[in-house]
Amino acid sequence: MRSKSSTFRTDRAVTTLAALLAGALALTACSSGDNDKKDSGRKSGAPTGSTVTLPELNGAHLEVAAVWTGGEQANFKKVLAEFEKRTGAKVTFVPAQDPIINFLGSKIAGGQPPDVALLPQPGAIKQAVQKGWAKPVGPEGRKELAKNYSQGWQDIGKVDGKQYGVYYKAANKSLIWYNAKVFENAGAQEPKTWQDLLTASQAVYDSGVTPFSVAGADGWPLTDWFENIYLSQAGPEKYDQLAQHKIKWTDPSVRQALTTLARIWGKKDYLAGGQSGALQTEFPQSVTQTFTGGDQPKSAMVYEGDFVQVNIGETKAKVGTDAKVFPFPAVGPAAPVVSGGDAAVILKDSKAAQALVTFLASPDAATIQAKLGGYLSPNKNVPVTAYPNAVQQKIAKALIASGDDFRFDMSDQAPQAFGGTPGKGEWKDLQDFLRNPKDVAGAQAKLEKDAAAAYGNGG
């Protein structure tokens, strides 16, 4: 799995959103009623200003498991507190270890499964269903989903056509963050195409700053680099085929994407520390070294999702002024928007568990956490103004505007042995490719060999 916090694992989506993301800073106003809940709850019905009716649950007790830690956990507990206030139920947050499926397995074996778990991958939902752990979402939850989510987000939570997951949290992972002062000094513009990105990189390099930080010590950011290029260049149909290993990693479309990727990874001077330095750079450092050192940082740009803001917060840089963002440029006809998220899944069916999942599918729950920052919801009825700054607002707007045109992160759809294990499979193969970006054919051969073993087919 990707990190102790699922924020760093979530991913996916395709659409022509470059213009929207690039220009949306001025378009963040979105009127909405006040979704802060002031009613004491504890009765059947809905408090003033709420959008969902919840049952009275006095005496009910629920356990909710997730791998979230720190501020992410603290903010989610505030959402659970609102559910308690409205229903009279008591909710306990259970910190889970990663991978959460293994954690849940041990809890279930001991006869103590949590009532609800937040699962970070579509594959994990499928696994929970196959093991007989997951219970279907009831009619009230499905009604909230139909009202608040695009069909695509509903479908990711389904297994064999039945709704098991409610996607409460999302991430937009098609973003490149940049040091605004470096771009200004270099006369570089926010790029809209891959060629524009190469032009901006050269301008930054010519100004005396290394263009990119690449978190090569962690395999997962490398898979995300590849996925954005592949999705934009090869298109969603090929992306789906490769994600399911219906085409081989030796396919010409993979060669094309790796060759494109090598136009940055293959230039030693474009990477902070060169290829060897990148392979020693962990994700948090890749961000912080881009936004420390004034206008002479170790790098000008860093690729990753909306959660980069958390690490920028560890520096003196301010998001929106010192640290700015543009969408991953279009490599093919459409810019990629790769997104993903965490889904609430019921493990112990009850009136209270169904009510909690219904609440998590509502704008009321998501709006509470949106206001607290560091969170993105796929719920289209969360007001954009709930997000605390203009950068988060434009990211949220872009995610919702993508509608059904998104794709879940390919590595998160893969068997864990291929797409989710440090030092193995795709993570290791792309680290080897970063080490030697000239060997495209060798990288393809390794990827195909490892994929075939993990998927149990020959492509």
Side-chain angles (χ1 to χ4, degrees), residues 63-334:
E63 288 190 345
V64 181
V67 296
W68 298 333
T69 58
E72 191 171 28
Q73 182 187 125
N75 290 348
F76 183 59
K77 283 181 175 177
K78 292 177 182 176
V79 177
L80 298 178
E82 176 65 21
F83 178 77
E84 290 180 320
K85 189 171 82 168
R86 290 205 198 179
T87 63
K90 295 295 179 190
V91 186
T92 302
F93 181 89
V94 178
Q97 282 79 51
D98 224 346
I100 193 169
I101 282 290
N102 295 0
F103 170 83
L104 295 175
S106 63
K107 296 289 282 186
I108 289 165
Q112 295 182 310
D115 297 87
V116 176
L118 277 295
L119 302 183
Q121 297 166 311
I125 300 174
K126 189 174 181 182
Q127 222 173 327
V129 172
Q130 289 170 340
K131 289 175 180 290
W133 300 348
K135 313 301 179 195
V137 177
E140 291 302 317
R142 294 199 305 272
K143 180 181 169 187
E144 282 300 305
L145 283 170
K147 192 165 61 174
N148 301 314
Y149 288 75
S150 73
Q151 190 63 49
W153 279 104
Q154 293 175 59
D155 289 347
I156 308 170
K158 291 179 180 177
V159 177
D160 297 329
K162 192 172 283 189
Q163 196 77 49
Y164 286 95
V166 166
Y167 271 88
Y168 172 70
K169 187 173 185 295
N172 180 328
K173 289 189 68 175
S174 295
L175 302 171
I176 294 178
W177 299 80
Y178 68 96
N179 185 309
K181 195 67 181 172
V182 171
F183 260 51
E184 184 184 332
N185 291 346
Q189 304 297 314
E190 289 190 358
K192 291 186 170 55
T193 67
W194 184 254
Q195 187 55 53
D196 292 345
L197 179 63
L198 297 177
T199 300
S201 299
Q202 187 63 45
V204 165
Y205 175 75
D206 289 343
S207 77
V209 178
T210 304
F212 282 98
S213 270
V214 174
D218 298 315
W220 61 267
L222 306 185
T223 71
D224 295 338
W225 267 98
F226 171 82
E227 286 157 9
N228 274 276
I229 289 171
Y230 191 82
L231 183 54
S232 182
Q233 193 172 58
E237 190 176 330
K238 283 272 195 185
Y239 185 96
D240 291 344
Q241 291 172 351
L242 189 60
Q244 297 167 49
H245 201 224
K246 288 183 176 176
I247 57 174
K248 296 185 178 185
W249 285 80
T250 48
D251 191 84
S253 61
V254 176
R255 181 176 69 240
Q256 187 182 19
L258 290 173
T259 302
T260 300
L261 190 51
R263 294 186 72 184
I264 287 177
W265 287 9
K267 290 196 172 186
K268 184 179 178 182
D269 293 343
Y270 271 23
L271 309 180
Q275 285 89 355
S276 60
L279 286 162
Q280 296 173 55
T281 302
E282 294 180 343
F283 171 71
Q285 182 193 348
S286 74
V287 178
T288 55
Q289 71 183 17
T290 305
F291 299 104
T292 50
D295 63 356
Q296 289 294 310
K298 289 191 176 177
S299 60
M301 292 175 274
V302 61
Y303 156 72
E304 255 311 337
D306 55 281
F307 48 79
V308 162
Q309 293 173 94
V310 174
N311 303 93
I312 294 173
E314 296 166 7
T315 73
K316 292 178 181 176
K318 287 187 170 54
V319 171
T321 52
D322 309 308
K324 294 187 177 181
V325 65
F326 56 84
F328 199 99
V331 188

Side-chain angles (χ1 to χ4, degrees), residues 330-415:
V331 188
V337 180
V338 170
S339 177
D342 298 80
V345 175
I346 295 169
L347 302 178
K348 282 171 66 177
D349 203 359
S350 67
K351 183 180 180 181
Q354 291 286 356
L356 177 59
V357 166
T358 299
F359 181 58
L360 294 178
S362 75
D364 299 14
T367 298
I368 294 167
Q369 196 154 349
K371 288 180 177 180
L372 298 169
Y375 167 83
L376 188 61
S377 173
N379 188 316
K380 64 187 178 185
N381 289 320
V382 173
V384 174
T385 48
Y387 294 93
N389 60 58
V391 169
Q392 278 192 267
Q393 288 173 4
K394 77 171 181 177
I395 292 169
K397 193 163 186 173
L399 180 75
I400 297 305
S402 70
D404 292 338
D405 293 333
F406 62 87
R407 291 296 183 276
F408 244 74
D409 172 316
M410 192 183 294
S411 61
D412 278 0
Q413 294 183 60

